[in-house]
Amino acid sequence: MDDASTRKPVLLTVDDDPAVSRSVARDLRRRYGDAYRVVRADSGPLALDALRELRLRGDQVAVLLADHRMPEMTGIEFLEQAMDIYPQARRVLLTAYADTDVAIDAVNVVDLDHYLLKPWDPPEEKFYPVLDAQLEAWTAHPPKAVHETKVVGHRWSARSSEVREFLARNQVPYRWYASDSPEGRVLLDVAGADADDTTLPVVVTTQGEVLVAPSDGELAEQVGLSVSPSERFYDLVVIGGGPAGLSAALYGASEGLRTALVERTATGGQAGQSSRIENYLGFPDGVSGAQLTERARRQALKFGAEIVMTRDAVALEVRGAARSVRFDDGSTVDAHTVIVASGVAYRELSGPGIGALTGRGVYYGSALTEASACEDQDIYVVGGANSAGQAAMYLSRHAKSVTLVVRAASLDQSMSRYLIAQVEQNDRIRVRTHSEVVEAVGDDHLERIVLQDTVTGEQESVDTGWLFVFIGAAPLTTWLDGTVTRDDHGFVCAGHDLLVEGKVPDSWPLDRPPYHLETSVPGVFAAGDVRAESAKRVASAVGEGAMAVMLVHRYLEQL
């Protein structure tokens, strides 16, 4: 199939007489075949089906030519319905002399652009001049073809927000349409979907495939992401696609290890959601988290690493020399070694209404996806660390105002000095210290929040439709329960942290002590934010991923 971006605009002709249909298509191709694609149909219903498919694929239709006397559907009836699918296409009715009165009436019924009398030999005199004029009129103001994936959903739908976030973080270009917008209604109609909560969002791929309320796995498969490991056994399986995981996969594959990286949502982790990273080595002008992690992803693939998406690890099992990772669908993948780089997730706010409005005005780490919708709005960002500061700076480009809600007395305790300086110099950002959000209020979406002073207990209600939350990190390690030692907060203990009073615990099965990043299970390593006492910085996570691969080699040499 042709690439969507290079497909030609369409000239569609419909006639129930096969001979006439072939004749029209032949004349069209002879004159316009270099610049246009000719599609022909033998009936009105079949032509409408073709138009729906073209619309779902994002193709342009320049001219519709319909014979009037067709048994299933007249040409006028066809053009009347085709207007709803391609309102800007030029409409031409093919008719016999006896039907000229009908054709004239059709000018008002379907806003007919022209009618042609059959036969029109020679076409150079009677057919092509008419089509030339119609195409000239169409090309003067051609509609823009939309070849990206299309998402149709409710503006305040949590799942619609999740789908948009998934596509954005996986670098899949998409176009968003509200279900109550004219374009959204047309897409739902041609897709045969209803505008209700059970069917939305509807996703239309670049090839015209319609996905109704798809899961992340279904979405990933349709947009070309790998969702299943190609092998059952690897030298190294990396769990998590943040900076540490990408680094481990890159170095593992580049050094000859059969390597698979498994990620539940999108590569990049929390770093991938950062609008700007300015203190990463080698990027003096800064780099977005998406740019940095996308380069790392491509680099890992270049060296032969396999990246498997939308698989959620639920258990780790030891099977002799093999380490087995089980996924939520019951499937497993085995390897000699495993690097746990599953990272952390933003902790959720607690309080009345907050959970119910998540994805409908309350967002966790979605600043990049939702920023364009915040134009001239009053925005609230909860958190006092770098992720909150970066989000506030990015949102301030669009918003009327951004308020940073911070529990601490100042930003000095958790935010980098360079970022504090930027926040303080930004006229659109104000910092509200000793404060927390205790309630969210709204019907179908957020309308206001309740702020509480952590010192006095005094509360204040403020109007806002946008709350972005960046409050600390909870490790994604419950799947390791009962297998790998973790600290009281759920972070993975490794290396020196496993020692008890300087000695290896009795549960450690080998004569040697654990390597620096090795967990309580030999051959299983931890890297990045998921590890207890890690630095929680992109640079250190990248370094730990590379170091973990060095220790993997050392472990494999002893097998």
Side-chain angles (χ1 to χ4, degrees), residues 111-160:
D111 194 19
L112 194 68
D113 293 301
H114 208 282
Y115 68 89
L116 277 169
L117 296 178
K118 300 186 296 184
W120 48 68
D121 288 332
E124 288 76 12
E125 295 181 12
K126 300 181 179 180
F127 185 53
Y128 294 149
V130 171
L131 265 293
D132 288 345
Q134 298 307 314
L135 290 173
E136 182 179 350
W138 183 81
T139 54
H141 302 285
K144 184 179 180 181
V146 180
H147 297 304
E148 300 97 341
T149 295
K150 306 172 189 66
V151 182
V152 186
H154 289 314
R155 178 65 191 89
W156 299 111
S157 160
R159 182 55 188 160
S160 293

Side-chain angles (χ1 to χ4, degrees), residues 423-444:
V423 167
E424 291 175 343
Q425 293 168 10
N426 192 314
D427 293 336
R428 294 190 181 185
I429 300 177
R430 72 185 184 103
V431 180
R432 181 165 176 156
T433 58
H434 291 303
S435 298
E436 60 183 350
V437 176
V438 296
E439 184 178 357
V441 181
D443 292 327
D444 65 334

Side-chain angles (χ1 to χ4, degrees), residues 58 60 124 192 200 239 261 298 300 304 391 428 496 510:
Q60 295 173 309
E124 288 76 12
L200 296 179
I239 304 299
L261 182 151
R298 294 202 310 265
R428 294 190 181 185
H496 181 79
L510 303 181

Side-chain angles (χ1 to χ4, degrees), residues 32 114 168 177 179 181 213 220 264 304 330 413 490 501-502:
Y32 307 106
H114 208 282
Y177 301 96
S179 57
S181 67
R264 63 199 297 263
Q413 298 180 23
E501 296 181 354

